[in-house]
Amino acid sequence: MRNFSLLAGLVLWLTMDVSSLLGELICPLPVIENGRLLQQAKEYRENDVLHFSCNRGFRRTEDRPSKCTKVGMRAEWSPMPECEPAKCRVELPPLEGTTYASTLKNVYYPGETLNVTCGEGFWISSPQDTFAETTCDDDGQWTIRPVCQEFFCSNQREYNVRWWNVWRNQQIRLGDTARYQCVTGYKSPDGSNVAKCTRNGWEPKPLCQEITCPRLEVENAIHPDVYKQSYRNDDWVTYRCMEGFTGRPTRTCGQNGWTGDSQCTVNQKPGFLAVSYQKPFLQSPQIGLMLVWQCSP
Ligand SMILES: *[C@@H]1O[C@H](CO)[C@@H](O)[C@H](O)[C@H]1NC(C)=O
């Protein structure tokens, strides 16, 4: 046996030597346990990459590509093209905000599951989720990365927010609040002008809503717009009074709805003049005479 390996070594050395003498380094074709070559070249020279993949349930020991590399006088594969049983790992103790159902092991095999729970202010899978059941797949990858992310609200100002007390790169966590003001024509929907960071993002949503006023009818007046149903900030409407009424009511749309209170009032109808008088006085009216009259309804 010993003699044989000595001989093999000698042959190997000789071939290496010959190829290196020729200025060529050739890597031996590897045999990959639990894996296979994806394409096979006739010979592999320095810097050639070996394309191989591992069988189901196995994964490459190294993620780096295996390259034919010169080592001293010889050429060999680096890293060695090898496959190992696939497994998933978790970091123990888990990162801040992450809790595992089991903290006894940190290596899991394909098919095994792990329950992950996130702390207040953290999320997994989607910003609304604080729990996930993740499975180690055949490639040794978790179906869901078992790490909770800290929740942040966007620090980008919405286009219709004129100003808010959030700095450009400020990190805003769940429950944080900010005061803000809307651009002209927009208002805070709840009137508070305070934004709060929630799992659904900033609330109220949207922070600034367009100021609109629904169509308004004024008593005894004719609306100048036949169909218009909605008005914007600073829009104003001048009404025409109905027959028998006078006035020129005007309403202006603003942040708190319509303003203005002018009305159409009833025309003074001509009535019958009922004058009560005493004949003698009328016959010879005198200065200082007081005349009392009354309009009939
Ligand atoms: C993980 O959570 C699921 C759903 O709540 C539950 O059915 C399962 O038993 C849990 N598994 C472990 C290992 O705790």
Side-chain angles (χ1 to χ4, degrees), residues 101 113-115 131 133:
T113 65
L114 172 67
N115 285 350
F131 172 85
E133 190 174 2

